[in-house]
Amino acid sequence: MRFDVISLFPDMVSDAASYGVTGRAIERGLVDLSVWNPRDYTHDKHRTVDDRPYGGGPGMVMKCQPLRDAVNAAKQHNVLANRKVICLSPQGRLLNQELLLDASCYDQLILVTGRYEGIDERFIQQCCDEEWSLGDYVISGGELAALIVIDAVTRLIPGVLGDEESAKQDSHFDGLLDCPHYTRPEHSDIGDVPDVLLGGNHADIKRWRMKQALGRTWLRRPDMLEKVTLSAEQDALLKEFRTEVV
Ligand SMILES: Nc1nonc1C(=O)NCC1CCCCC1
């Protein structure tokens, strides 16, 4: 997987991505990351990337030409056919695990991040394939959104998480929230580890974890539960959870 990020703050992206799972994936060559600064594709002495909005109003708008040339530089640097140009913005399709799973099948994702009041619409319409959104709120720039896409997609790349199951046990991977996790000590003044996790019976542990995941999803995110088809065993486990919690 190759990520090319278009950003006015390249170090913000490359530094953050150099830690943890994404940093190790880059070191191991499972992921390539390049960052392209639109300011490097300006042609005036002030290296202008923004301008006042037509129609008036506050703030500045990012100009098309520097962004377009930065995207083209990213495309020419790696001619990978199976790629998408994504603009991160509050106007985009809401990010979820399904969208990220689809995205993980591409060879290259070019992630365009905005600043100021926004990006000239002509660039979005003509140079981007899709717009994706973190959620219904506004942050100061698209870089954090791009980093979330990079992190979440990287976790889905085979071999990145060592044990394939880790990604599959993540919250939302199977449409459910994650089960609770515990580690040493067994007993503490703020509670004890559930006995089932100490017993070593793997079938019981797997059953308990699925029951907790189903129960949590039912309690905290019933909307998610409406979108998944439960197996007969999962249905029975959820019924069991609901009788116990009432
Ligand atoms: N929400 C979001 N999801 O993805 N990106 C988001 C965002 O809020 N981005 C910042 C804005 C800042 C002004 C220009 C356009 C992008």
Side-chain angles (χ1 to χ4, degrees):
M1 168 61 78
R2 170 169 199 83
F3 297 104
D4 289 284
V5 180
I6 313 300
S7 168
L8 292 171
F9 300 135
D11 291 349
M12 175 180 175
V13 177
S14 51
D15 288 358
S18 68
Y19 292 88
V21 168
T22 50
R24 287 194 299 277
I26 291 168
E27 282 166 12
R28 293 168 59 200
L30 295 171
V31 161
D32 287 306
L33 170 66
S34 294
V35 196
W36 308 80
N37 187 340
R39 210 174 286 282
D40 295 337
Y41 297 90
T42 55
H43 305 301
D44 65 303
K45 68 177 180 178
H46 299 297
R47 295 165 48 92
T48 307
V49 292
D50 61 315
D51 204 336
R52 297 188 313 283
Y54 279 117
M60 303 292 272
V61 174
M62 293 185 77
K63 295 168 64 66
C64 292
Q65 176 270 314
L67 287 167
R68 190 175 176 187
D69 290 355
V71 167
N72 287 338
K75 284 181 173 179
Q76 284 152 24
H77 188 262
N78 284 277
V79 187
L80 294 169
N82 190 15
R83 67 181 171 207
K84 260 188 183 177
V85 181
I86 308 297
C87 180
L88 285 310
S89 88
Q91 285 74 39
R93 180 180 164 197
L94 197 56
L95 272 182
N96 61 24
Q97 199 67 29
E98 181 185 356
L99 183 151
L100 293 162
L101 203 53
D102 291 345
S104 69
C105 299
Y106 281 84
D107 296 322
Q108 179 183 22
L109 291 175
I110 299 176
L111 304 173
V112 181
T113 67
R115 283 272 161 175
Y116 309 113
E117 287 305 306
I119 295 173
D120 188 306
E121 188 66 16
R122 290 166 290 184
F123 169 81
I124 298 172
Q125 295 303 322
Q126 300 303 322
C127 306
C128 298
D129 298 306
E130 295 181 27
E131 281 184 277
W132 292 353
S133 172
L134 285 181
D136 296 334
Y137 48 85
V138 179
I139 50 181
S140 304
E143 285 82 4
L144 292 177
L147 284 163
I148 284 169
V149 171
I150 291 168
D151 188 292
V153 169
T154 298
R155 295 175 62 83
L156 298 171
I157 294 168
V160 165
L161 286 186
D163 169 2
E164 291 280 325
E165 280 309 302
S166 297
K168 290 181 183 134
Q169 286 175 351
D170 280 352
S171 273
H172 295 269
F173 187 89
D174 52 6
L176 300 173
L177 297 181
D178 205 358
C179 63
H181 297 282
Y182 298 85
T183 188
R184 287 179 293 187
E186 283 181 31
H187 305 290
S188 83
D189 60 320
I190 55 172
D192 298 334
V193 175
D195 290 339
V196 66
L197 299 180
L198 306 172
N201 180 320
H202 294 297
D204 285 352
I205 290 168
K206 186 175 180 182
R207 184 180 188 279
W208 180 87
R209 284 174 170 166
M210 177 52 76
K211 181 175 168 182
Q212 293 301 313
L214 288 160
R216 265 184 169 192
T217 309
W218 172 66
L219 287 171
R220 301 181 186 186
R221 291 292 305 277
D223 60 297
M224 287 174 64
L225 212 50
E226 285 167 18
K227 295 174 187 163
V228 294
T229 304
L230 299 182
S231 66
E233 184 195 6
Q234 287 173 320
D235 212 33
L237 282 173
L238 179 54
K239 283 189 172 68
E240 198 176 294
F241 181 94
R242 291 171 68 164
T243 58
E244 289 163 2
V245 81
V246 175

